[in-house]
Amino acid sequence: MSGANLSGANLKGITATRAFLNKTNLRGAALRGAEINDAYGRGACLGNADLTLASLVGTDLSKADLRGARLTQANLREAVLLDSDLTGADLRMTRLGQAILHQANLTNAVFGLTAFADNNLASVRGLETAEHTAESAIDVATIYRSGGKIPEIFLRGCGVPDGFLTYMKSLLTNPIEFYSCFISYSTKDQDFADRLYADLQNKGVRCWFAPHDVQGGRKLHEQIDEAIRLHDKLLLILSPHSMESEWVKTEIAKARKREVR
């Protein structure tokens, strides 16, 4: 069927294992529940196709057009999606274990309960624009294989906790480098502290900053104690105001005690 024009065809439940679908036009086709395992679909057009519950295990979809495709609950384990275009695709509850996603375009794709396992996402495009309707499963192997080069906004959308993100870079690169800090400052220097916090965050330095990170219902001094313990460095904004602040003096004393210990 290579090169065939099957645009809009009703192929629900079809079995096409090891089929040759290179450059086949299946735009808008109904392929719900289809079994297209170990097939060859390089350069195929599947834009807006309904692939809900379809099985595409091991299928080569390199450079395929999957824009707007519905892949909800589809099985794409070990599929080759090299340089494929999945812009706006619906990948909710999709299984992507060991799928090859090098240079794939996932701009505005929709995720939720999606299963990543042993994937390399380092070169995937558009992850920062993804829509998350629910948390997804993303394993440690995927994070390591990607060298940590996955947008934090995507990992948060998948449900990866901030505590892991704080130390992820140091775990994957040089563990003696520091990637988090507690910012100690006087509220009279708030404008400067806000700018510093924003700049550090944008550069990938994880920070604890009272206006953003204080949790309601917990005692402030307990939260500060915990934050100083959990962050690598205390960053002091030194000014006449901070030197007059009893809070700042207490924070410095606690950090110094931790350093000595």
Side-chain angles (χ1 to χ4, degrees):
M1 290 195 291
S2 292
N5 184 2
L6 297 169
S7 177
N10 185 351
L11 300 168
K12 292 179 181 178
I14 190 173
T15 297
T17 298
R18 297 188 180 86
F20 288 89
L21 301 168
N22 295 337
K23 296 186 178 179
T24 298
N25 182 3
L26 289 157
R27 178 176 295 280
L31 289 156
R32 185 183 182 91
E35 292 194 18
I36 315 174
N37 301 317
D38 297 314
Y40 303 90
R42 293 177 64 89
C45 178
L46 289 152
N48 295 316
D50 183 3
L51 288 152
T52 304
L53 291 167
S55 180
L56 294 129
V57 175
T59 293
D60 185 354
L61 291 167
S62 301
K63 297 184 181 295
D65 180 358
L66 288 151
R67 289 175 294 175
R70 292 185 294 284
L71 288 154
T72 311
Q73 292 183 276
N75 187 353
L76 290 164
R77 182 171 54 83
E78 298 179 359
V80 180
L81 294 159
L82 178 71
D83 203 22
S84 57
D85 192 347
L86 289 131
T87 300
D90 188 342
L91 293 162
R92 289 174 297 169
M93 293 181 278
T94 304
R95 285 171 280 175
L96 290 163
Q98 296 183 308
I100 297 171
L101 293 158
H102 183 65
Q103 290 295 327
N105 186 353
L106 288 165
T107 300
N108 296 324
V110 182
F111 297 89
L113 303 178
T114 308
F116 293 92
D118 201 16
N119 302 109
N120 186 342
L121 304 179
S123 65
V124 174
R125 295 169 284 160
L127 287 177
E128 67 282 357
T129 68
E131 178 186 342
H132 299 270
T133 61
E135 293 183 355
S136 295
I138 183 163
D139 68 345
V140 173
T142 294
I143 292 170
Y144 270 88
R145 286 198 65 191
S146 307
K149 296 177 181 177
I150 307 172
E152 283 194 9
I153 190 171
F154 178 79
L155 291 173
R156 283 199 186 91
C158 288
V160 177
D162 262 357
F164 182 82
L165 294 178
T166 297
Y167 295 105
M168 181 178 73
K169 291 179 182 177
S170 61
L171 289 170
L172 294 169
T173 54
N174 187 347
I176 66 170
E177 293 181 12
F178 295 100
Y179 290 94
S180 65
C181 66
F182 175 97
I183 301 176
S184 179
Y185 70 101
S186 165
T187 53
K188 293 179 180 178
D189 299 316
Q190 190 70 53
D191 288 345
F192 177 80
D194 286 336
R195 292 199 304 274
L196 178 64
Y197 173 79
D199 288 345
L200 288 170
Q201 292 282 84
N202 288 336
K203 294 294 183 181
V205 180
R206 311 297 302 152
C207 307
W208 195 93
F209 189 57
H212 293 258
D213 300 308
V214 167
Q215 300 172 18
R218 291 184 59 197
K219 293 179 180 178
L220 180 59
H221 71 87
E222 290 177 353
Q223 294 184 60
I224 288 173
D225 283 350
E226 181 180 44
I228 290 173
R229 273 191 296 107
L230 293 178
H231 290 74
D232 300 306
K233 295 289 187 182
L234 180 136
L235 180 61
L236 171 64
I237 297 177
L238 187 62
S239 72
H241 296 307
S242 64
M243 287 298 89
E244 294 173 2
S245 168
E246 292 304 317
W247 272 111
V248 171
K249 291 176 185 177
T250 300
E251 289 164 4
I252 295 171
K254 289 180 183 296
R256 175 61 181 154
K257 186 183 294 184
R258 177 191 178 222
E259 183 177 52
V260 170
R261 187 169 62 248

